[in-house]
Amino acid sequence: MAVVIVTGAANGIGRAVAFAFASRGDCVVVADVDERGVEFVRQWQEDGKVVLFVKCDVRKENDLIHLMKTTIDTYGRIDILINNAGKMLYKSPYDIELEEWDDMLQTSLRSVFLASREAAKYMKLNEKGGSIVNIASTRALMSEPYTELYAASKGGIVALTHAFAASFSKDFITVNAISPGWIETGDYEQLTERDHEQHLSKRVGQPDDIARACLYLTSPENDFVTGTNLVIDGGMTKKMIYEE
């Protein structure tokens, strides 16, 4: 039974990841600034899952320190950290305000550094170290217009991942990134055939696709995998497209 922290776990990918770990019997801390997570955490507890909600604004260092301490006080250790919290902004680079740049980088990139640093302080005390997975994006590798802020934060996550993997290796802490492609977190039934056909897999991704990858990367049996960026996009970034 592992002790797992998932940031940004009140919705979407983060919620699916938290559920996957909780379903296999792990102790899971659901961390999010969105307190709507309280309700489904209560439901999971009623179903017998060992799960705790902690309100946390990942932009704030003290909130992340409190998150780690609360986990230690409750479960005694930290084995796995999934850095999932982030945000998106579509806006022309001509119009981006400095405050928007700072908010994006604090939410999606600086938080990964701070949370990983604080969690690793406890992980290195474990006999078998620990595991960190950072949720990046294929937008770290390719772009569409008006996504500069998001691309910068996700590209930073990929770089930070291999840097942490090097620094934390002596403490037996693996650090990897996952770069999801199109993962539909809304109504999957509303997607069109054209949406699915854009992928070599012939379907758009779902949050569970990322959750299963998190289970793989954090398994002690897979400790040979570290410093990598696992692209999970149904083959979209490998599909050659000619515009007619």
Side-chain angles (χ1 to χ4, degrees):
M1 180 184 294
V3 177
V4 185
I5 298 173
V6 185
T7 67
N11 301 283
I13 290 174
R15 180 171 175 173
V17 171
F19 185 77
F21 280 106
S23 294
R24 74 172 191 182
D26 292 329
C27 304
V28 179
V29 178
V30 171
D32 206 301
V33 70
D34 186 349
E35 293 189 80
R36 287 180 294 179
V38 172
E39 182 56 35
F40 73 76
V41 163
R42 184 181 298 113
Q43 294 173 357
W44 290 1
Q45 290 171 337
E46 292 174 355
D47 291 338
K49 295 178 176 60
V50 183
V51 60
L52 173 71
F53 179 84
V54 176
K55 185 176 181 179
C56 178
D57 184 341
V58 296
R59 295 172 299 180
K60 299 178 180 178
E61 182 181 23
N62 286 339
D63 276 24
L64 289 168
I65 292 172
H66 174 260
L67 171 63
M68 304 306 163
K69 187 176 185 304
T70 299
T71 303
I72 291 295
D73 290 345
T74 304
Y75 300 119
R77 69 181 193 275
I78 299 171
D79 299 305
I80 296 169
L81 169 66
I82 310 296
N83 282 307
N84 170 74
K87 65 189 306 182
M88 166 61 93
L89 176 68
Y90 285 97
K91 193 170 185 178
S92 168
Y94 294 114
D95 301 322
I96 292 171
E97 302 289 341
L98 181 59
E99 291 77 12
E100 293 172 318
W101 168 269
D102 289 343
D103 182 59
M104 174 66 78
L105 271 292
Q106 288 172 13
T107 302
S108 301
L109 179 58
R110 191 181 73 170
S111 65
V112 173
F113 171 77
L114 293 174
S116 298
R117 181 189 69 184
E118 295 307 314
K121 291 177 181 178
Y122 296 104
M123 288 181 179
K124 69 179 183 179
L125 302 178
N126 299 336
E127 182 181 354
K128 296 183 179 180
S131 183
I132 298 171
V133 176
N134 304 318
I135 305 301
S137 171
T138 51
R139 291 171 188 270
L141 311 172
M142 57 190 297
S143 292
E144 61 181 341
Y146 308 141
T147 59
E148 282 75 13
L149 295 189
Y150 192 75
S153 67
K154 296 304 184 178
I157 287 173
V158 172
L160 190 59
T161 294
H162 57 71
F164 267 143
S167 297
F168 291 160
S169 63
K170 61 180 174 47
D171 298 316
F172 302 100
I173 299 171
T174 63
V175 187
N176 291 288
I178 295 174
S179 284
W182 183 350
I183 304 296
E184 182 58 48
T185 58
D187 187 351
Y188 199 81
E189 299 304 317
Q190 294 300 311
L191 296 173
T192 66
E193 182 178 353
R194 182 179 181 184
D195 294 332
H196 294 298
E197 286 295 325
Q198 292 182 59
H199 301 76
L200 298 180
S201 62
K202 304 302 180 183
R203 70 172 178 87
V204 174
Q206 297 175 291
D208 284 346
D209 292 314
I210 307 305
R212 286 190 292 271
C214 287
L215 295 178
Y216 167 78
L217 289 173
T218 58
S219 171
E221 297 176 347
N222 298 321
D223 61 356
F224 191 63
V225 183
T226 190
T228 196
N229 175 39
L230 179 60
V231 174
I232 302 179
D233 68 344
M236 181 179 276
T237 54
K238 299 301 182 184
K239 184 176 180 180
M240 186 172 287
I241 299 174
Y242 292 99
E243 296 184 1
E244 297 181 355

